[in-house]
Amino acid sequence: MEDPDTVSGAANDARFIGETGVAAQIAAIAEPVLDELGFRLVRVVLSGRNGSTVQIMAERPDGMLTVEECAEISRRLSPVLDAHDPIEGQYHLEVSSPGIDRPLVRPSDFVAWAGHEARIELKELLAGRKRFRGTLAGLEGEEVCIEVEAEEDGRQVVGLPIRLIAEARLMLTDALIRETLRRTKEAAKSSASNRASPANVHDGSDEVEA
């Protein structure tokens, strides 16, 4: 697997899919806090669940996130959001991992999950279509490579310009579930090792999801 930092177009691994409106305001508040803690923002999603819910999807640079890390993020982020007050009225803060069928929001995501199936929707037509579903094949320059089924030529790898991607998400498959479980076990071992240090013990509790 290629190192994302050595791939053209991925040296600056900022999110290319962002939020709008209030969600964008929350993302602007949350991202510096996550950066300081050593995590990355994936998405901010607003919903009407539990009255009003702000879901913060976050991850470590390796793409994983434990329940304990969700709680740590929630404890640090809650008072910052309260101070900026981006949402009128009460709301429920939910910090979670991106999930198995996760959104792909950075160039490096397409490298990290190469070999797995994904669904990509473009902002405009490319070769007569906007939706592509197939197996990720990494990056080439400023394009995401994905192996898709072509009507006349069978399976072939096509390049989709990153700047045209409106939405991208992994597809839930048995292979993806197995790989996610493997990575989660590794993350749990790393977290257990970190908790062995008194400097990493935190007080308090928050409702979180992983």
Side-chain angles (χ1 to χ4, degrees):
M1 182 179 296
E2 290 184 276
D3 182 348
D5 291 333
T6 67
V7 179
S8 174
N12 179 10
D13 201 34
R15 294 189 307 150
F16 61 86
I17 294 179
E19 294 76 16
T20 59
V22 175
Q25 296 176 36
I26 295 172
I29 296 168
E31 198 152 20
V33 177
L34 291 169
D35 287 344
E36 183 180 348
L37 293 172
F39 301 106
R40 305 192 305 183
L41 177 65
V42 178
R43 293 295 295 271
V44 174
V45 180
L46 306 183
S47 72
R49 289 188 297 117
N50 298 324
S52 180
T53 295
V54 175
Q55 182 186 18
I56 306 289
M57 296 185 191
E59 64 184 2
R60 295 201 309 253
D62 64 6
M64 296 292 104
L65 194 71
T66 65
V67 172
E68 292 80 6
E69 289 166 338
C70 287
E72 178 185 6
I73 292 170
S74 184
R75 283 192 293 270
R76 290 289 296 273
L77 192 53
S78 291
V80 179
L81 289 175
D82 288 344
H84 286 81
D85 197 21
I87 298 180
E88 295 183 3
Q90 294 184 337
Y91 63 90
H92 174 73
L93 175 62
E94 177 183 291
V95 178
S96 73
S97 67
I100 296 179
D101 53 343
R102 56 166 296 145
L104 305 169
V105 299
R106 289 182 169 82
S108 63
D109 290 341
F110 297 95
V111 177
W113 295 100
H116 293 280
E117 292 184 36
R119 181 179 64 249
I120 300 176
E121 182 169 350
L122 303 182
K123 299 173 184 177
E124 57 188 61
L125 291 174
L126 181 68
R129 59 192 292 192
K130 292 179 66 175
R131 296 179 178 85
F132 295 80
R133 176 175 176 174
T135 302
L136 293 177
L139 290 174
E140 185 172 327
E142 299 292 333
E143 294 185 336
V144 170
C145 298
I146 183 170
E147 184 180 8
V148 298
E149 190 73 36
E151 292 183 1
E152 298 180 355
D153 302 320
R155 295 193 68 81
Q156 61 178 359
V157 176
V158 298
L160 307 178
I162 292 176
R163 62 181 177 81
L164 293 183
I165 296 178
E167 189 74 26
R169 181 177 291 274
L170 291 175
M171 302 296 297
L172 191 62
T173 64
D174 290 342
L176 178 61
I177 292 172
R178 287 193 298 269
E179 176 61 15
T180 303
L181 288 174
R182 184 188 69 80
R183 297 189 189 192
T184 301
K185 288 180 180 179
E186 291 183 356
K189 290 180 181 178
S190 176
S191 177
S193 176
N194 290 336
R195 287 200 305 271
S197 171
N200 288 306
V201 176
H202 300 275
D203 294 324
S205 61
D206 293 89
E207 185 171 350
V208 297
E209 271 189 20

